[in-house]
Each structure stands twice: as structure tokens, then as C-alpha cells.
């Protein structure tokens, strides 16, 4: 990016999980972030410093927005410092496009399990009819999505699914379903190790939304695990073939 950044990673620390996140939509590259804004005056419908975002992506030699897959980010993957961690540890490449979104009927809740590497309680996605919660959508290239597979433990803790729930992007467009990493059925059982368990936590009969309780309190919660995450999903086998953003809107 040729312009000065709007923020750097240090402005948004990753700990405690899930870290802090910028308001609105942004592109992160090289430890720096740049706000992007919706606009109907450019083909991609998104601008960076008044310029079509696709033009900026082309200068980096990467795919335009329309060729990317939307993947819901509801935990630490909206945190810029975590994105740089993915670059350093897992080889994530290229600008990461993060579009703000309002999710209808799906929420981030605290898991009954904890993370193996630091004992913090991770987020899992759960159904909660009637609730609207703000998260974000990564518009990913195939190699970026492969990095997310590794980070999320696809096949161990999480599975990649098409989640059937409306998601309204900050440019006003609505996805009737979205790709997301959700708990594997095997990770919803009571007999799995705590580091693999991704069942939603139930306290006093209710799921605990991440938006309501911070990590410092979440790690001390005592409850039981839900029997289901309440989501309507279709698991993706192998490589997702789409739809890309352009295919969703024609």
C-alpha cells in the first residue's frame, strides 16, 4: 500500500483472546491496516482512500474481490495482530480483506473447552434466533483459506461449512449463507479431551455470548456443554468451489 496506514497491529493486541478489532472494514498487510469504505461509484463497490480497492489489489498481483470466497470471521481472525501471527507462523500471504457484517440468528459463544496452547476459552458459532450480532467476513483467496484450515484445525476441532443464515455486509449486500468454521460433530461430545471440545458452554441454562462476557471472566465460568450448536449447516468436503462474491451477486 502506498498511503500511510490507518493503524498498526500494536493498536489491536491479540491477548486476551479474541483480541480487539477495528471498527468497520479494512485491509491488513505487512502489519499495517487500511480502512476501506463501501461505494457504488466503483466496480468493486469498495474504496481505499477513494480508489477502487480492486485496483490496489491488482498492484499486489492478487485476485480481485469478485473472485474471492466469503468466509465468516467471528473470533480472533478479525484481530490484526492475529492476522500477522498467521503470516509469521502459517505462511499467510497477500492483503487480507476484512468486511464488516451483521449476522442474523448466529452468534459467537464461549466454548466448553479451552485452547491447548494457552488455556484460554475459544469462541464457537451457535444459532440464536432473533439475535443480530456484528462480526466480519474475510474475502479469501484459495491459499488464504488453506491457511485458515490449518489455523482452525479443520478435521480436528472445526469443520468448514456453509452456514444457512443471512449475513449483511457493510455495503448493504446480503449473503443468504456464508462459509464458516463450526464445531465438528465429534468435538461436540462430552467424552472428547478438553482441548478438542468445542461444544458451546451452558451456564444456568443459557449459552454465554462472547459479546457479553470477556475472556478474563469466561475462563472462570463453570457450566455444562450444550448438546448442539443449533446451526443449520452443510459441511464442505474438500476444496470449496464457491460461490465467489461475483457469483453470489451476478
Amino acid at each position: 500500500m502506498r498511503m500511510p496506514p490507518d493503524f498498526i497491529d500494536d493498536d489491536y493486541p491479540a491477548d486476551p483472546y479474541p483480541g480487539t478489532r477495528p471498527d468497520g472494514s479494512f485491509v491488513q498487510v505487512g502489519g499495517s491496516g487500511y480502512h476501506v469504505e463501501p461505494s457504488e461509484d466503483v466496480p468493486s463497490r469498495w474504496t481505499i482512500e477513494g480508489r477502487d480497492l480492486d485496483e490496489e489489489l491488482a498492484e499486489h498481483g492478487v485476485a480481485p474481490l469478485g473472485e474471492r470466497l466469503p468466509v465468516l470471521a467471528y473470533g480472533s481472525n478479525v484481530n490484526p495482530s492475529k492476522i500477522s501471527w498467521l503470516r509469521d507462523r502459517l505462511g499467510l500471504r497477500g492483503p487480507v480483506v476484512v468486511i464488516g457484517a451483521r449476522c442474523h440468528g448466529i452468534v459467537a459463544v464461549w466454548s466448553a473447552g479451552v485452547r491447548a496452547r494457552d488455556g484460554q476459552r475459544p469462541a464457537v458459532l451457535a444459532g440464536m434466533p432473533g439475535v443480530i450480532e456484528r462480526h466480519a467476513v474475510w474475502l479469501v483467496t484459495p491459499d488464504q483459506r488453506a491457511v485458515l484450515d490449518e489455523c482452525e484445525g479443520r478435521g480436528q476441532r472445526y469443520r468448514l461449512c456453509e452456514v444457512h443464515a443471512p449475513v449483511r455486509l457493510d455495503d448493504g449486500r446480503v449473503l443468504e449463507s456464508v462459509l464458516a468454521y463450526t464445531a465438528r460433530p465429534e468435538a461436540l461430545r462430552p467424552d472428547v479431551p478438553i482441548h478438542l471440545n468445542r461444544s458451546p458452554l451452558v451456564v444456568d441454562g443459557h449459552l454465554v455470548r462472547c459479546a457479553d462476557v470477556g475472556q478474563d471472566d469466561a475462563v472462570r465460568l463453570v457450566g455444562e456443554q450444550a448438546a448442539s450448536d443449533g446451526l443449520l449447516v452443510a459441511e464442505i468436503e474438500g476444496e470449496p468451489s464457491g460461490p465467489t462474491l461475483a457469483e453470489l451477486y451476478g
Side-chain angles (χ1 to χ4, degrees):
M1 303 291 177
R2 297 171 296 177
M3 67 287 291
D6 293 307
F7 59 84
I8 60 174
D9 288 352
D10 288 347
D11 296 329
Y12 296 97
D15 287 314
Y17 175 97
T20 55
R21 59 180 67 177
D23 293 330
S25 304
F26 64 93
V27 174
Q28 195 266 16
V29 60
S32 298
Y34 305 83
H35 296 305
V36 297
E37 300 291 339
S39 172
E40 296 184 359
D41 296 329
V42 297
S44 75
R45 296 186 60 160
W46 285 94
T47 62
I48 180 168
E49 292 292 321
R51 185 186 188 202
D52 191 332
L53 180 53
D54 273 352
E55 294 179 9
E56 191 70 41
L57 295 176
E59 291 188 1
H60 283 265
V62 296
L65 299 184
E67 295 180 8
R68 295 169 176 243
L69 296 177
V71 178
L72 184 66
Y74 58 89
S76 62
N77 290 335
V78 194
N79 172 258
S81 294
K82 166 65 178 297
I83 295 173
S84 283
W85 184 90
L86 293 172
R87 297 186 191 281
D88 295 340
R89 298 294 184 90
L90 301 183
L92 179 72
R93 296 180 298 168
V96 171
V97 180
V98 183
I99 301 299
R102 292 170 62 83
C103 303
H104 294 249
I106 52 176
V107 299
V109 300
W110 292 118
S111 167
V114 297
R115 300 199 303 187
R117 64 185 175 92
D118 59 12
Q120 295 193 78
R121 196 180 293 280
V124 292
L125 197 65
M128 192 170 288
V131 175
I132 299 174
E133 194 168 85
R134 184 165 178 81
H135 291 294
V137 168
W138 274 37
L139 298 180
V140 301
T141 62
D143 62 304
Q144 288 176 341
R145 191 208 48 76
V147 168
L148 291 178
D149 275 2
E150 184 176 358
C151 172
E152 300 301 333
R154 184 182 179 190
Q156 294 180 309
R157 302 181 302 276
Y158 295 92
R159 56 181 176 161
L160 182 62
C161 293
E162 180 183 5
V163 179
H164 299 285
V167 174
R168 181 180 292 275
L169 304 181
D170 278 355
D171 64 0
R173 292 183 286 187
V174 177
L175 310 176
E176 294 301 331
S177 61
V178 66
L179 294 177
Y181 291 89
T182 70
R184 294 181 69 227
E186 293 83 354
L188 294 169
R189 298 199 314 257
D191 57 344
V192 299
I194 191 169
H195 294 143
L196 297 178
N197 190 312
R198 291 300 179 265
S199 302
L201 180 68
V202 177
V203 178
D204 295 331
H206 300 284
L207 302 180
V208 184
R209 293 172 60 192
C210 301
D212 295 335
V213 177
Q215 178 68 222
D216 290 345
D217 293 322
V219 294
R220 294 193 290 267
L221 291 172
V222 177
E224 49 193 34
Q225 67 178 60
S228 168
D229 56 21
L231 297 170
L232 178 61
V233 304
E235 184 170 1
I236 304 297
E237 301 290 345
E239 295 298 314
S241 58
T244 64
L245 198 64
E247 291 168 336
L248 283 167
Y249 296 111

